[in-house]
Amino acid sequence: MTTYRKAEPADVPAIFTLISRYAAERLLLARGLDDLHASVGDFTVAVEKGRVVGCGSLKLYDVQVAEVRSLSVEPGRQSRGLGQGLMKRLLREAESLGLETVFALTTVPGFFRKCGFQEVARENFPAKIRRDCLSCELYPTCAEKTVARELRPRTARVYSRPLAPHLPSLRPA
Ligand SMILES: CC(C)(COP(=O)(O)OP(=O)(O)OC[C@H]1O[C@@H](n2cnc3c(N)ncnc32)[C@H](O)[C@@H]1OP(=O)(O)O)[C@@H](O)C(=O)NCCC(=O)NCCS
């Protein structure tokens, strides 16, 4: 049986091992242990028999937008719904935080389409480009696609006016 929960500091070594494997294949951005300890609260993990077998995180960019990062399922456990299980919980968390858009940069857009995302232009997310892409040796010719999904936040807005202007609609790819 698979259970899902927010990650705890003790999960960091397992998360590091999962991500590093796929980072070596250039499927994910590498994450260092210091980075993971600092951001472990962003992660949700899939657990089987007490062992972390999948993970994914939600990185907030502003009051409306977050990125799905480091989504990974152990090789022997793929194609059994764990990826969708993790995504469901990340989307639920994003909605409960009142976010309006989640996006990802991915080499597996087919999986994200299954999860309700659509391909959009990367320029919709300039903060991501500044933060990660500009320092990446593969930019701007990398093979990753930008995908995004609009949400229906369940919480009432705390602010009467948004702190950052919301994208009226996402520019297509
Ligand atoms: C991508 C990943 C997280 C998906 O996890 P998973 O547990 O294998 O996915 P699921 O079993 O939930 O599959 C969900 C659906 O997506 C589909 N899918 C999975 N990978 C796909 C792909 N590359 N292209 C198209 N569809 C894909 C599956 O066919 C499945 O569809 P179905 O329910 O109709 O059979 C996992 O394959 C993984 O860890 N990959 C390596 C790391 C990576 O690339 N992460 C994405 C970074 S953004």
Side-chain angles (χ1 to χ4, degrees):
M1 196 187 72
T2 311
T3 56
Y4 299 87
R5 60 167 170 77
K6 289 293 288 179
E8 298 162 358
D11 298 324
V12 165
I15 293 172
F16 177 74
T17 302
L18 259 174
I19 295 174
S20 299
R21 175 186 199 119
Y22 293 123
E25 297 173 31
R26 289 186 177 266
L27 294 175
L28 290 180
L29 266 190
R31 308 282 300 266
L33 280 170
D34 288 349
D35 172 18
L36 291 175
H37 277 294
S39 58
V40 67
D42 298 345
F43 275 83
T44 292
V45 289
V47 179
E48 289 183 359
K49 294 183 181 166
R51 218 165 58 76
V52 170
V53 294
C55 68
S57 78
L58 206 56
K59 171 168 176 49
L60 272 62
Y61 275 79
D62 59 36
V63 294
Q64 292 155 335
V65 177
E67 178 187 12
V68 171
R69 292 190 77 188
S70 306
L71 186 68
S72 47
V73 172
E74 207 175 68
R77 288 181 165 73
Q78 290 186 1
S79 305
R80 289 175 35 212
L82 272 67
Q84 285 184 101
L86 284 161
M87 181 68 84
K88 189 170 138 189
R89 282 146 184 96
L90 293 171
L91 293 173
R92 200 186 286 158
E93 182 182 356
E95 285 179 345
S96 72
L97 290 170
L99 303 182
E100 295 182 358
T101 306
V102 286
F103 76 96
L105 265 55
T106 183
T107 55
V108 287
F111 168 76
F112 280 85
R113 273 196 293 275
K114 268 253 141 75
C115 298
F117 287 67
Q118 59 178 350
E119 204 175 315
V120 297
R122 189 168 308 185
E123 290 66 32
N124 286 298
F125 306 104
K128 169 67 181 176
I129 296 175
R130 284 195 300 274
R131 186 177 178 278
D132 289 326
C133 298
L134 291 181
S135 57
C136 175
E137 63 191 39
L138 299 177
Y139 185 75
T141 56
C142 86
E144 289 186 339
K145 303 291 184 194
T146 307
V147 292
R149 179 177 160 162
E150 305 282 0
L151 304 172
R152 290 194 189 86
R154 285 192 208 119
T155 50
R157 262 209 185 290
V158 177
Y159 306 103
S160 56
R161 275 189 308 139
L163 290 179
H166 182 52
L167 305 158
S169 60
L170 294 168
R171 269 184 282 154

